[in-house]
Every structure is written in structure tokens, then in C-alpha cells.
């Protein structure tokens, strides 16, 4: 049993799973090569494979469900590659269903024997899994009502999606007993401890391209005083620079504005007035294949990494921090020409005396490529990107709330 905001959540230790059919929600959302659709990194699959293995060893029939990407994005692909990667890690067959709740999935679920593993296709191929709605509504939706009668238990291992009130996260635990999986459990135990760290300054390094989520989190951590400084990188930094009146090339501006509503951009303008929000002084930019360094007052190409002066500026702040949270890469790290900024910030964070948390897919893979002596200096590697930040900013995570409700409803642990 673990606790979340004082409420009890049952874990896999609290239930007898032998011979039971288990729906295991994981977050195997991974970077994908936009040209080939192939997986670029399997770190999240590695994390969840241990939970799958334990369920198999305990004699459950395991049906794995995950989302991948968002509709119309280049990483919105089917999960055949994920199923193959999981099978390789387990050294066992993983049957792949070419739908989520259709005839193929249902037939495979119904025929799954104890110890067998089935993987359903991308849960976001179902419209409902892209909709934020109250748990009670999702519990009565198509996906949940169609699949839940086929299962005895719902195991939620998807900490990284627990900030979403989507069908596959919050609907099932209201219909069938829901417990936390091992990844979820580990995250909660580590992050509950992090909340107790009182020393300051607390520095958040926030980058990547998920502007809407990151903006909400910046607002929360700055306004509530949780973060003393937010060092922005990546597209997040470009958004704040635009909010501060910096002009950027038209196509870059269009990219930012395509990811954020005009209301949220107004919020960014308000937040940009806060001195806690730091923005880069230079970028590594690419223009017609040429790479150069541009001061932020004259950005002449597409920003692909933070520049060397920004690295120095941010390093100084990280060296003095007591808690560092890093989420979202500082540049397009898939391309070796644009990794230097992120790598320099990571090295500085690990050389500091701060408790350092890495969050999100890119940082998990970065952590796994570090030599063991450096990796051991990372306080916690979280599978969560947005979820981690929402958790640390004190927001209620719907996925965890739903597990707590499930425990109350089905009285799994008292
Ligand atoms: C993540 O990578 O943060 C999670 O998989 C959630 O994905 P989402 O932001 O598309 O909901």
C-alpha cells in the first residue's frame, strides 16, 4: 500500500493475481523517427517490462495498454514495434492486437492464458482516450464499458500519464479494482520524499516542445514559490522570449503559436514579467543547413539548442541549487549537432550538491547513456515529464486520485 495526499492506494502486493486477467496500463509513449516511424528509444518499455515480467511470474494473463503520440503528430503510430521490443526484453511471445477494443483485441483478451502477454494497439486510436473528462463520465464510456467486463484487475503503471483525466487512466479503476504497478509505486515513494526537501534554491530546467503543459506548470511553481528559478530552454524558451517581445523568424513564431492558444500566450506574457523565469541569451541556430550561434536579439534561423553563453549563465545557477528538476531537452538532441547544451546542463547538475531529478522520455534515455558513476548521482529518474512537474507543483493527478477512489470503492486495503 502507498499513500497519495493522505489517501490509500493498493499496490500489486495487496492482491492475489494468480490466474487473473489483468489490464496493465503502461506509458510506453516513446520518441519515434518521423521518417520511418521506428522507435528511437525503448527506455520506458524497459522500465515497464519488469512489471509485466512480475505479473507473468505470478500467473496472471497480462493485457498491456499504452498510448503513443497525439493524433496527427508524426509520433502517432501503432504499437507493433512496442510489442516487438517488449517481447525481446521478456524473451517471450507478446501477441499484438491490431485494435484496442475491437474484435481482434477482444478475441485475444478472451483467449489469453495465465502467463501470456497481449498488447493492445495505441489507446489513443480510440477517440475517448484523447478527451479530458471526469472519471465517472469515462467509466460509462465506450472503451471502458466494453473492456472492463473482461478483466479482474486494473494495474496502473503509467505514472507518466497520471496527469491526464483520460479514459484509459481514470475510467477503468471505477469499474474494476485498480492498483498501482511497480513503476507507479517507485515514482510515488521517491517523489513523496522529494516533497520533504526544504533547502533552497530550487531550480527547474524546463524545455521541450509541450508548451501548454509546461506553461501551466511554470505558472504554478513560480506563483506558489515552489521554484526559485525556472531556466527555460527549447521551444519553451522561444515562447517566453516571444512573450517578452523578442522577434523570431516567422516560421518559428508560427510553430510556437500552433502549439498554444492565444489565451495561454497572454498568460505567458504575464508570467514573462516574473524575474524567476529565465530565458536564454543565445541559441545554436540552423539556417539552410548551416549551423551558427545567434544572440537572442537577432535570431536568424531555427533555434536548435541553447548557445554557449546561455550554458555558462545557466551553469552558474545550477551550481548553487539544492534541488534541480530537469524536464525536456534543451535542444533537438536526436541530432548530435544539437546535444551540447543539454549535456552541459546535465553534467553541471550532477556535479552540484543538489538532489537532481530527471523527468521525461528524453532524460530517461540520457540517464541510461551516462557512465554508472555519473548515473548514480541522479537522485531520481522519473518516467514522467508533465506528470512529474504536475506532481511536484502540488496539482492533483487524476490517475492517482482514481486509484485512491478505486481502493475506497472496492476496499482492497483498509
Ligand atoms: C508524456 O510523455 O509526457 C506522456 O506520455 C503523456 O503524453 P501526452 O502529453 O501526450 O499526454
Amino acid at each position: 500500500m502507498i499513500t497519495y495526499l493522505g489517501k490509500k492506494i493498493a499496490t500489486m502486493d495487496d492482491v492475489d493475481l494468480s490466474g487473473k486477467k489483468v489490464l496493465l496500463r503502461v506509458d510506453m509513449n516513446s520518441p519515434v523517427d518521423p521518417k520511418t516511424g521506428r522507435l528511437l528509444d525503448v527506455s520506458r518499455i524497459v522500465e515497464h517490462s519488469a512489471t509485466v515480467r512480475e505479473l507473468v511470474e505470478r500467473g496472471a494473463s497480462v493485457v498491456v495498454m499504452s498510448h503513443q503520440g497525439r493524433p496527427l503528430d508524426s509520433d502517432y503510430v501503432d504499437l507493433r514495434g512496442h510489442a516487438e521490443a517488449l517481447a525481446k526484453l521478456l524473451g517471450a511471445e507478446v501477441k499484438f492486437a491490431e485494435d484496442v477494443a475491437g474484435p481482434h483485441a477482444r478475441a485475444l483478451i478472451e483467449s489469453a492464458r495465465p502467463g501470456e502477454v497481449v498488447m493492445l494497439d495505441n489507446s489513443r486510436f480510440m477517440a475517448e482516450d484523447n478527451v479530458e473528462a471526469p472519471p465517472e463520465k469515462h467509466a460509462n464510456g465506450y472503451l471502458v464499458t466494453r473492456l472492463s467486463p473482461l478483466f479482474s484487475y486494473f494495474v496502473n503503471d503509467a505514472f507518466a500519464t497520471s496527469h491526464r483525466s483520460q479514459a484509459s487512466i481514470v475510467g477503468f479503476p471505477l469499474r474494476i479494482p485498480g492498483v498501482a504497478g511497480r513503476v507507479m509505486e517507485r515514482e510515488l515513494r521517491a517523489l513523496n520524499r522529494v516533497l520533504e526537501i526544504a533547502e533552497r534554491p530550487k531550480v527547474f530546467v524546463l524545455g521541450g516542445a509541450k508548451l501548454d503543459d509546461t506553461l501551466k506548470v511554470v505558472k504554478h511553481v513560480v506563483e506558489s514559490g515552489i521554484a526559485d528559478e525556472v531556466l527555460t530552454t527549447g521551444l519553451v524558451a522561444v515562447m517566453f522570449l516571444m512573450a517578452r517581445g523578442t522577434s523570431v523568424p516567422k516560421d518559428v513564431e508560427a510553430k510556437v503559436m500552433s502549439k498554444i492558444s492565444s489565451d495561454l500566450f497572454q498568460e505567458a506574457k504575464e508570467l514573462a514579467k516574473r524575474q524567476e523565469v529565465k530565458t536564454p541569451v543565445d541559441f545554436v541556430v540552423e539556417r539552410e543547413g548551416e549551423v551558427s550561434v545567434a544572440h537572442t536579439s537577432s535570431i536568424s534561423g531555427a533555434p536548435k539548442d541553447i548557445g554557449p553563453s546561455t550554458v555558462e549563465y545557466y551553469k552558474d545557477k545550477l551550481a548553487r541549487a539544492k534541488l534541480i528538476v530537469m524536464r525536456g531537452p534543451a535542444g533537438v538532441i536526436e541530432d548530435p549537432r544539437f546535444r551540447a547544451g543539454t549535456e552541459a546542463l546535465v553534467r553541471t547538475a550532477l556535479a552540484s550538491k543538489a538532489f537532481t531529478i530527471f523527468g521525461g522520455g528524453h532524460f530517461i534515455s540520457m540517464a541510461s547513456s551516462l557512465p554508472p558513476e555519473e548515473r548514480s548521482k541522479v537522485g531520481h529518474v522519473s518516467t514522467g515529464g508533465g506528470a512529474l512537474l504536475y506532481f511536484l507543483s502540488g496539482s492533483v493527478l487524476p490517475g492517482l486520485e482514481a486509484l485512491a477512489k478505486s481502493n475506497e470503492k472496492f476496499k482492497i486495503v483498509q
Side-chain angles (χ1 to χ4, degrees):
M1 193 263 294
I2 36 173
T3 57
Y4 173 64
L5 301 176
K7 293 177 198 151
K8 290 177 182 158
I9 290 180
T11 71
M12 283 165 46
D13 291 326
D14 300 310
V15 283
D16 177 9
L17 299 166
S18 171
K20 302 290 188 322
K21 222 155 250 183
V22 171
L23 178 61
L24 173 66
R25 176 55 160 103
V26 293
D27 184 340
M28 292 186 179
N29 185 24
S30 305
V32 164
D33 183 332
K35 291 194 192 92
T36 62
R38 292 182 75 85
L39 288 174
L40 291 171
D41 177 71
V42 294
S43 314
R44 278 184 170 170
I45 305 179
V46 173
E47 296 285 322
H48 290 296
S49 66
T51 310
V52 177
R53 190 173 296 115
E54 179 180 337
L55 289 169
V56 165
E57 284 167 5
R58 287 173 60 177
S61 312
V62 190
V63 177
V64 184
M65 175 184 262
S66 177
H67 74 279
Q68 170 64 50
R70 296 178 182 179
L72 303 184
D73 281 356
S74 60
D75 61 349
Y76 185 59
V77 297
D78 70 50
L79 300 192
R80 187 176 288 283
H82 300 61
E84 284 167 8
L86 179 61
K88 211 164 156 191
L89 286 160
L90 295 174
E93 187 188 11
V94 173
K95 291 184 177 154
F96 177 63
E98 285 178 354
D99 50 23
V100 185
H104 195 202
R106 290 171 59 85
L108 284 182
I109 297 168
E110 275 163 5
S111 63
R113 317 271 321 144
E116 280 185 358
V117 182
V118 171
M119 177 136 201
L120 306 178
D121 213 339
N122 188 346
S123 62
R124 287 190 180 164
F125 288 173
M126 305 291 296
E128 288 158 74
D129 214 35
N130 297 282
V131 177
E132 296 275 324
E136 293 71 20
K137 212 155 182 193
H138 276 311
N140 290 316
Y142 178 82
L143 176 67
V144 176
T145 51
R146 197 163 161 84
L147 288 190
S148 47
L150 306 179
F151 295 98
S152 307
Y153 285 104
F154 174 68
V155 175
N156 188 352
D157 215 22
F159 171 76
T161 328
S162 53
H163 57 314
R164 304 282 179 229
S165 195
Q166 291 168 344
S168 64
I169 296 291
V170 299
F172 290 107
L174 297 197
R175 288 247 166 217
I176 45 176
V179 307
R182 294 303 184 205
V183 172
M184 179 73 97
E185 189 184 340
R186 207 168 47 241
E187 294 272 9
L188 254 186
R189 291 197 196 285
L191 295 177
N192 278 339
R193 276 206 311 276
V194 168
L195 290 184
E196 288 160 15
I197 296 175
E199 290 165 286
R200 308 197 84 110
K202 297 184 178 183
V203 178
F204 282 53
V205 186
L206 302 183
K210 288 186 179 170
L211 302 187
D212 44 0
D213 282 335
T214 309
L215 184 61
K216 282 185 214 150
V217 169
V218 174
K219 186 173 160 64
H220 202 92
V221 293
V222 165
E223 288 181 352
S224 62
I226 291 168
D228 297 299
E229 286 179 320
V230 177
L231 315 182
T232 63
T233 65
L235 208 58
V236 175
V238 177
M239 172 185 70
F240 276 113
L241 281 165
M242 283 167 54
R244 282 179 173 161
T246 302
S247 66
V248 300
K250 284 275 163 287
D251 53 337
V252 177
E253 183 180 326
K255 187 169 178 193
V256 168
M257 297 313 290
S258 72
K259 288 179 176 279
I260 190 168
S261 66
S262 47
D263 282 357
L264 276 181
F265 189 61
Q266 283 311 314
E267 284 195 29
K269 281 187 166 171
E270 283 308 307
L271 263 178
K273 293 179 190 155
R274 306 274 309 218
Q275 48 88 24
E276 296 94 331
V277 179
K278 309 293 180 197
T279 44
V281 290
D282 58 356
F283 285 109
V284 176
V285 298
E286 185 177 27
R287 191 179 180 198
E288 291 165 6
E290 293 290 313
V291 175
S292 60
V293 173
H295 191 271
T296 42
S297 59
S298 56
I299 303 173
S300 52
K304 293 287 176 83
D305 194 4
I306 50 172
S309 303
T310 307
V311 168
E312 290 310 311
Y313 171 42
Y314 283 1
K315 271 167 82 171
D316 182 53
K317 298 187 174 302
L318 292 175
R320 285 182 278 116
K322 295 292 185 300
L323 173 72
I324 298 173
V325 179
M326 304 187 96
R327 189 258 158 136
V332 185
I333 60 172
E334 292 82 1
D335 185 330
R337 295 175 299 168
F338 308 119
R339 282 178 78 91
T342 310
E343 282 175 349
L345 298 184
V346 165
R347 272 198 304 275
T348 310
L350 296 184
S352 76
K353 294 204 163 57
F355 186 90
T356 301
I357 305 176
F358 284 177
H362 287 97
F363 272 101
I364 302 174
S365 63
M366 199 140 225
S368 55
S369 64
L370 289 171
E373 67 280 7
E374 287 216 71
R375 197 187 185 290
S376 64
K377 292 187 196 146
V378 188
H380 177 60
V381 181
S382 174
T383 52
L388 165 75
L389 298 180
Y390 277 87
F391 185 96
L392 293 177
S393 69
S395 306
V396 173
L397 301 191
L400 291 169
E401 273 271 295
L403 286 179
K405 264 193 200 160
S406 191
N407 185 51
E408 272 168 34
K409 181 169 177 181
F410 296 102
K411 304 193 177 5
I412 312 166
V413 282
Q414 302 293 324

